[in-house]
Amino acid sequence: MSSRPAPLIPPRLRAFLVRVPFLVPIVRFLRRGPLARDRNLTITLSVLSLVVGGLAARVSLEWFSPSLLILITLVGGLQLRLRSLAKLLAAVAVALGYIAITLGVGRVGLGLMVTIGFTTVLAVLMARTRGKLGVQGLRGDAMLLELRDRLKSQGELPPLPKDWGGKVVLKQAGGSSFGGDFLVSMRDGDNLEIALVDVSGKGVDAGTRALLLSGTFGGLLGSVGDFLPACNAYLHRQRGDEGFVTAVHVRINLATGAYTITSAGHPPVVKLDAGSGGWQVATAKGVVLGVVPDLHCEPDNGVLRKGDALLLYTDGLIEQPGRDIDAGLDRLLGEAERLLPSGFRDGARALVNSMASGHNDDCALVLIWRP
C-alpha cells in the first residue's frame, strides 16, 4: 500500500493562511519545483542587496556600508547556479548604482568598486565550476572528501593473523590528499592479495585517474586468476593517451608463507632474508600495463619464514632527478638496513620520510613481515 505524499503546506501554516488568502499562492510558489531553494535564496539575497543599497544611500553609509555587498556576492557564488547568480549580480549593480547616484561616486570609493569587481569574477568562476559538476552549494567539496576517505580506507590492509604484520605508508606530492599511488588488497581465508599501483603523474593531476582505477582494480582483485593480465586488458580497451600505469601484485598464503610476485613495469620487490640478514631483489618482470594487448609476466615465487619481510614500493621512493634508478635502489636498501631493524612498523614511516626528503613526488611503501 503506497503512502500519501506529504502536504505541500504544513497544517498549522495552512490554518493561518486561510485568514490571509492572498499569501497562499506566494507560499506555494516559494515551495514549488526542484530548484525552490536556489530560487528562494536568489530572491532573498537580491532583496537584501537592494535594502543595503537603499539604507546606505538614505540612512547611514557607516552603519550600512556597501562592503556588505561583497559578502552577499560571495554567498551567491558559493550557493547559487550561474543563471541565478547573474540575477543577483544585477541587483548588486543596481544597489551600487543607486548609492553612487545618491551620494556621489567619490563616497563609494574606487578601492571598494575594484574589490567588488574582483569578488564578482571569483563568484562567477565558482558558480561555473559547480555548474559543470552539476551540484549545488558545497556538495562538490563534500564529494571530494568522501572519495578521498573511500580511497584511504581501500588502501588499508585487511586484518592479518597475529603471527603476521603489515604496514602501508602513502605520501602524496605537495601534501595533497590525492595522488597517483594507491593500494588495493583483499583477504580470503589464508589467501592474501596485495596490488600496489602507480599512475603516471603526481599529486592531484594523477589523483583523478587513480580514483577511477582503484575501483576497477579493487573489483578485479580476488575475482580473476590472473590479476595483472586482466588489468592490462581493461586499460588496453580504453585506448586512451593518459600516460602509463605500473603495478605489482603479491599473493601470499598466510598458513605456509608461500608467495607469488608478478610485476608490470614496476620497481622490483625486495625480500629481507632473516637467515642471512640481507635483502634479495625479486626477479618478477613484465611490461607496463595497457601497452600490449596480451601481457606476459615472469613471476617470482618464494616462502616467507619467521623474521622474513617483503617490501613493495613505487618509483617515487627511489627516483631522483639526475640520478640513476639503480643508485636509488641501493640507497633504499641501505636505509632499510639502518632503519628497519629497530622495528618494522615504525621503521616503515621513517624509511619513507628518509627516502622522500629532497624531492616532491608521490611515494608509497608496503611492508609485510612475519615476526
Side-chain angles (χ1 to χ4, degrees):
M1 183 175 61
S2 60
S3 59
R4 297 180 59 184
L8 185 63
I9 301 177
R12 293 185 179 180
L13 181 59
R14 185 187 296 111
F16 171 76
L17 294 176
V18 169
R19 303 176 184 177
V20 194
F22 71 91
L23 291 179
V24 176
I26 297 178
V27 174
R28 285 179 176 173
F29 169 76
L30 294 177
R31 295 173 60 91
R32 183 181 297 120
L35 299 177
R37 177 182 176 277
D38 183 82
R39 180 181 61 243
N40 297 342
L41 185 59
T42 304
I43 295 173
T44 301
L45 294 178
S46 300
V47 171
L48 184 60
S49 301
L50 298 176
V51 170
V52 169
L55 293 176
R58 295 297 180 181
V59 180
S60 172
L61 195 63
E62 295 180 356
W63 284 93
F64 304 98
S65 172
S67 59
L68 294 173
L69 298 174
I70 298 176
L71 299 178
I72 295 175
T73 304
L74 281 176
V75 173
L78 289 171
Q79 298 291 337
L80 297 179
R81 296 183 304 144
L82 187 59
R83 185 174 300 178
S84 300
L85 179 63
K87 299 176 183 178
L88 172 62
L89 294 178
V92 171
V94 170
L96 279 175
Y98 182 70
I99 297 173
I101 292 173
T102 304
L103 302 178
V105 179
R107 295 293 302 275
V108 178
L110 180 61
L112 179 61
M113 298 292 289
V114 171
T115 304
I116 293 178
F118 178 79
T119 306
T120 299
V121 174
L122 181 62
V124 171
L125 292 177
M126 290 189 295
R128 287 185 59 186
T129 301
R130 288 187 292 102
K132 292 179 181 179
L133 292 174
V135 296
Q136 296 300 316
L138 301 178
R139 180 57 183 163
D141 295 335
M143 290 172 59
L144 287 176
L145 290 174
E146 186 176 350
L147 288 173
R148 180 204 64 184
D149 294 339
R150 287 179 179 270
L151 183 62
K152 184 178 179 180
S153 62
Q154 190 174 14
E156 297 176 354
L157 290 174
L160 299 177
K162 60 180 181 180
D163 55 343
W164 285 84
K167 180 67 176 180
V168 179
V169 181
L170 298 175
K171 187 175 183 180
Q172 312 300 358
S176 170
S177 298
F178 302 93
D181 298 346
F182 65 91
L183 173 77
V184 289
S185 60
M186 61 84 61
R187 178 188 172 189
D188 183 13
D190 289 333
N191 294 319
L192 173 67
E193 294 192 47
I194 302 170
L196 185 60
V197 185
D198 183 3
V199 177
S200 60
K202 60 183 179 180
V204 179
D205 296 334
T208 52
R209 195 179 182 205
L211 285 170
L212 172 65
L213 293 182
S214 65
T216 303
F217 288 9
L220 291 174
L221 189 69
S223 302
V224 294
D226 298 326
F227 172 72
L228 290 184
C231 295
N232 179 77
Y234 167 79
L235 290 174
H236 193 265
R237 288 195 302 268
Q238 304 306 306
R239 301 181 182 277
D241 188 17
E242 300 182 0
F244 61 87
V245 178
T246 68
V248 60
H249 174 231
V250 179
R251 182 182 288 114
I252 303 176
N253 188 309
L254 299 176
T256 63
Y259 65 84
T260 301
I261 302 172
T262 52
S263 176
H266 205 81
V269 177
V270 291
K271 173 191 174 184
L272 172 63
D273 189 341
S276 63
W279 292 88
Q280 302 172 356
V281 180
T283 59
K285 297 179 181 179
V287 184
V288 174
L289 293 175
V291 176
V292 296
D294 297 321
L295 180 67
H296 175 68
C297 298
E298 298 180 9
D300 185 13
N301 301 294
V303 178
L304 281 178
R305 297 180 175 84
K306 298 293 184 179
D308 292 353
L310 283 180
L311 180 63
L312 291 69
Y313 54 94
T314 56
D315 58 4
L317 213 61
I318 59 175
E319 271 188 347
Q320 292 189 11
R323 297 188 60 180
D324 186 70
I325 194 170
D326 290 335
L329 178 58
D330 292 339
R331 179 169 175 256
L332 173 66
L333 297 181
E335 290 294 308
E337 291 179 358
R338 182 176 68 89
L339 296 173
L340 293 182
S342 59
F344 286 117
R345 191 171 301 277
D346 296 331
R349 172 66 67 178
L351 179 59
V352 171
N353 293 336
S354 175
M355 294 297 298
S357 62
H359 68 284
N360 185 29
D361 200 356
D362 295 335
C363 300
L365 180 144
V366 182
L367 190 62
I368 303 294
W369 69 87
R370 299 187 73 176

